[in-house]
Structure formats: C-alpha cells, structure tokens
C-alpha cells in the first residue's frame, strides 16, 4: 500500500504567508489550480489511485476535485471527512495559553490524525494507492508520528508547502519513506 499525502493547493491567504486554520474556508487561487493540475499529471503518470480521502474544507476539496477529474477518478467515490480538517487557528496561535495547554492541543490533533490514518490503512487493501488531501498541521503531525521524530527535531519536520507530496509505502503498519515534502512535480 502506498499512502500519498498532499497538502491542499495555494489560497490567497497562503500566498500572503498567513495561517488560515479552520475558522475560515477560502477556495484555492489560480496558482493553486495550476499546482493541482501539475500534481494530477504527476499522479496520473506515476500511480494508479484506488482511493481518495479529503478534508471537508473547501481548499482541500477544490484541490482533490481538479486531481480526480484529471485522472478520471469518480468524484462520488471520494471520502470527505472532518477528521482531516485543519487545526483551529484560534487555539494554535493563542498567546495566553500556557505551554501545557498548547502541548495538550497538539496531542489531540496528533491523535486525531493518527487515528484517521490507522482507520484508512485498516479499511483498504495492501495493494491500494491512497491519496489523502489535507492540511499542513495534519500532514506534519502524521510525518512526526510515522518517522518517530521528537518535537525538538524541528529541522527534520519543516513547513509543508502547498501541493507538496509525502509518500510512504506501508506493509503491516511499517512505513518506508519514498518522498517527503516533495514539490518537484510543480516545476513541470
């Protein structure tokens, strides 16, 4: 099984370098549409996608819809879930929360992301290629868990750019990294 994690394409808020969180739900912009088409082309040329899971937020939906149309994947078979949605900006950025509260919040996000990934793995076949379109905080959390990266090792888990691909091969819940934070497909 291959798990292909993709952060949604660019929005105007991303373009301006701001974190949007789950409180606002902008659509992708023209650059985001281009990124989605480049990603779709790469996926079509390299993987036969059997299943698609997506955050229920508009920027993720628009990204996956462009990809699914390009690779002829029936949109009716995309599984949309709030379990893959972005973290809440209000909580993540609160300055008056103590370190313990922030740790608890990150732990809850991490557990939600990990539980969702485990559900996806359990409910699919060992030969499936699964596309998951989500958000930076979810993908970063999953990569930390999969790669067993300590919170201190920030240089290993960097920012997740728009439409970057992270791909793992999975056998018996053991993960082998194929690529991480890759955006080379966007140069085509």
């Amino acid at each position: 099984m291959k798990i292909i994690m993709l952060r949604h394409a660019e929005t105007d808020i991303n373009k301006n370098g701001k974190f949007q969180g789950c409180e606002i739900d902008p659509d992708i912009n023209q650059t985001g549409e281009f990124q989605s088409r480049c990603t779709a082309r790469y996926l079509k040329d390299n993987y036969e996608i059997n299943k698609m899971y997506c955050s229920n937020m508009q920027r993720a939906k628009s990204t996956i819809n462009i990809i699914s149309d390009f690779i002829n994947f029936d949109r009716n078979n995309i599984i949309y879930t709030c379990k893959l949605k972005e973290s809440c900006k209000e909580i993540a950025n609160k300055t008056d929360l103590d370190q313990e509260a922030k740790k608890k919040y990150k732990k809850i996000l991490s557990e939600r992301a990990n539980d969702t990934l485990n559900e996806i793995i359990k409910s699919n076949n060992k030969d499936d290629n699964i596309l998951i379109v989500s958000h930076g905080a979810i993908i970063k959390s999953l990569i930390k868990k999969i790669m067993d990266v300590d919170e201190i090792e920030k240089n290993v888990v960097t920012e997740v750019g728009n439409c970057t691909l992270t791909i793992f091969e999975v056998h018996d819940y053991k993960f082998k990294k194929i690529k991480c934070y890759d955006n080379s497909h966007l140069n085509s």
Side-chain angles (χ1 to χ4, degrees):
M1 172 183 301
K2 288 194 180 63
I3 299 289
I4 303 162
M5 291 185 269
L6 176 71
R7 183 180 178 209
H8 63 80
E10 184 184 87
T11 67
D12 285 335
I13 293 173
N14 295 140
K15 182 180 177 179
N16 294 324
K18 300 205 188 297
F19 175 73
Q20 50 211 346
C22 67
E23 293 86 0
I24 55 174
D25 197 11
D27 208 341
I28 61 176
N29 59 21
Q30 282 186 313
T31 300
E33 290 173 8
F34 172 78
Q35 292 170 335
S36 298
R37 286 191 301 276
C38 289
T39 304
R41 191 173 309 113
Y42 172 81
L43 292 172
K44 185 174 186 174
D45 290 348
N46 293 282
Y47 298 95
E48 182 181 333
I49 304 297
N50 309 97
K51 293 277 180 86
M52 290 187 175
Y53 293 82
C54 185
S55 159
N56 62 347
M57 301 196 77
Q58 188 58 49
R59 53 196 181 267
K61 287 189 211 177
S62 293
T63 303
I64 205 166
N65 287 340
I66 290 170
I67 293 169
S68 65
D69 290 349
F70 190 92
I71 67 172
N72 297 315
F73 188 93
D74 185 352
R75 282 190 191 186
N76 293 319
N77 293 326
I78 299 171
I79 299 166
Y80 297 98
T81 176
C82 62
K83 295 176 183 178
L84 291 169
K85 84 175 189 177
E86 183 63 278
S87 60
C88 290
K89 176 181 172 182
E90 178 183 309
I91 296 170
N93 289 342
K94 241 179 172 180
T95 53
D96 61 345
L97 285 179
D98 62 25
Q99 285 304 100
E100 204 54 44
K102 286 185 180 185
K103 270 187 184 178
K104 183 179 179 185
Y105 173 74
K106 284 182 180 181
K107 184 177 184 226
I108 290 168
L109 177 80
S110 176
E111 287 172 356
R112 173 169 52 97
N114 196 51
D115 289 348
T116 303
L117 180 61
N118 286 333
E119 287 173 24
I120 289 170
I121 292 170
K122 192 164 54 172
S123 65
N124 287 285
N125 298 317
K126 65 179 182 158
D127 296 323
D128 284 343
N129 292 320
I130 301 164
L131 177 63
I132 300 171
V133 178
S134 190
H135 307 271
I138 294 288
I139 293 170
K140 187 187 263 191
S141 178
L142 287 171
I143 292 168
K144 284 181 180 181
K145 183 75 172 172
I146 290 167
M147 295 175 66
D148 197 24
V149 176
D150 191 300
E151 183 70 29
I152 297 167
E153 298 180 67
K154 296 226 185 259
N155 61 330
V156 177
V157 180
T158 60
E159 289 306 310
V160 183
N162 293 108
C163 267
T164 53
L165 287 165
T166 298
I167 304 173
F168 289 95
E169 195 165 324
V170 184
H171 294 284
D172 297 322
Y173 289 90
K174 291 183 179 79
F175 294 82
K176 177 184 171 194
K177 181 179 73 169
I178 296 173
K179 52 175 66 189
C180 195
Y181 302 125
D182 185 80
N183 66 357
S184 60
H185 60 282
L186 299 179
N187 299 326
S188 52

